Amino acid sequence: MHQNTQYYIIWPLEQAEMPSPRKARYNLDLVDKLNNCIPHIIKKEKRILVHQSFGFIKRLQLPKDYPFKNGQQPHTKGNIVWTDYAISTWPLLLSLLKSNSNTFEEVLSQYFVMKIGLLPEWNIIKQHLISNCTKIKGINTDELDRWYDEISATLIKPQAYHQLYQWFGTEVREVGYSAFDYFMESRDTFNAWQKAIDKHLSDFTNLPKEQKDWLINKYFNTLLDG
């Protein structure tokens, strides 16, 4: 089974060289497309390249929209800093399955390349988003907290609920309602949420049962036990 590997978009870990201004613009545009279609899977993160900085002439040559800058804070001076965006394998894969009529194997072979683990084919994913996805608005923390309040009687931890949003997006609200109904029957938090997640994943017609059960056992049960 494929692990839930984390990828960076602005400067991918598998690339040794810092992206050129042209490539950086492309990566930023990819982030914009992902934010428009599947904002819940993106995690914003500050990164730092230690003991390296741009000289005066180099800074003048770089365009203003280049995301890599010399650190200005006391703890970042003498280093290059930038804002990156992280995405993990399975939330991305579930989003692609949701917006695709192809089989699980076809989606894997079309949107990922097998090297050391799976690597997303970002060019193909970007075109898929442009052609097939409707622009949606991400949910802020305050709104997510209000949704949590609706189902807090199930006794799931708020941190776990927020992590489920990163997997399911706005559909976490319906998953929560299902968990609430199951909880009213069993009064068992783990059992109620496990059933609700199983029900949600069963709606993915192109997600094989073997993969679904593995996800529940590998990731979601651990999240609920945390």
Side-chain angles (χ1 to χ4, degrees):
M1 300 293 181
H2 299 293
Q3 299 299 311
N4 199 32
T5 304
Q6 180 173 277
Y7 317 102
Y8 289 106
I9 295 178
I10 303 303
W11 187 356
L13 293 176
E14 66 273 12
Q15 295 180 9
E17 298 293 327
M18 183 180 294
S20 66
R22 180 179 178 182
K23 181 60 176 174
R25 287 192 189 99
Y26 175 88
N27 292 346
L28 286 167
D29 186 63
L30 173 60
V31 170
D32 185 61
K33 297 296 186 296
L34 291 162
N35 259 324
N36 284 340
C37 296
I38 41 179
H40 64 278
I41 74 170
I42 301 177
K43 291 180 288 185
K44 192 174 181 180
E45 185 177 322
K46 297 292 185 181
R47 294 179 64 193
I48 184 168
L49 183 63
V50 298
H51 306 315
Q52 295 194 42
S53 59
F54 299 118
F56 178 74
I57 301 300
K58 182 67 174 179
R59 293 202 312 272
L60 291 178
Q61 294 172 337
L62 290 171
K64 290 183 179 180
D65 63 351
Y66 195 54
F68 300 88
K69 312 288 184 184
N70 285 341
Q72 299 300 314
Q73 303 300 319
H75 65 285
T76 61
K77 280 191 175 181
N79 308 299
I80 294 174
V81 297
W82 71 101
T83 299
D84 219 318
Y85 299 85
I87 287 181
S88 298
T89 305
W90 273 102
L92 173 60
L93 181 51
L94 288 176
S95 297
L96 291 170
L97 290 170
K98 192 76 174 179
S99 60
N100 212 296
S101 59
N102 291 340
T103 67
F104 181 81
E105 290 75 16
E106 289 170 339
V107 169
L108 273 182
S109 63
Q110 183 175 359
Y111 299 106
F112 295 85
V113 61
M114 176 65 76
K115 289 189 177 178
I116 302 175
L118 289 177
L119 287 177
E121 292 273 26
W122 291 119
N123 288 337
I124 299 173
I125 291 171
K126 183 178 178 181
Q127 289 307 311
H128 172 77
L129 295 175
I130 292 171
S131 301
N132 297 281
C133 294
T134 303
K135 185 175 180 178
I136 62 174
K137 185 179 180 181
I139 302 301
N140 61 35
T141 301
D142 289 341
E143 182 70 8
L144 199 56
D145 286 341
R146 284 193 288 271
W147 290 5
Y148 171 78
D149 289 340
E150 295 175 344
I151 51 80
S152 60
T154 65
L155 304 181
I156 187 175
K157 294 180 180 178
Q159 299 93 327
Y161 186 79
H162 281 242
Q163 289 181 54
L164 287 174
Y165 169 75
Q166 294 170 5
W167 281 84
F168 301 142
T170 56
E171 291 176 340
V172 74
R173 197 176 194 182
E174 291 301 323
V175 176
Y177 292 156
S178 294
F180 182 87
D181 291 339
Y182 288 128
F183 182 81
M184 296 308 291
E185 296 172 2
S186 67
R187 301 293 176 176
D188 184 319
T189 300
F190 182 91
N191 178 267
W193 278 92
Q194 186 185 59
K195 283 185 175 180
I197 292 168
D198 185 278
K199 177 183 175 183
H200 176 70
L201 293 178
S202 295
D203 290 339
F204 287 71
T205 57
N206 48 5
L207 179 65
K209 184 179 185 303
E210 179 187 11
Q211 299 284 350
K212 180 199 71 174
D213 292 345
W214 180 80
L215 277 176
I216 291 173
N217 291 324
K218 174 72 174 179
Y219 295 110
F220 295 113
N221 286 353
T222 302
L223 186 154
L224 295 173
D225 268 336

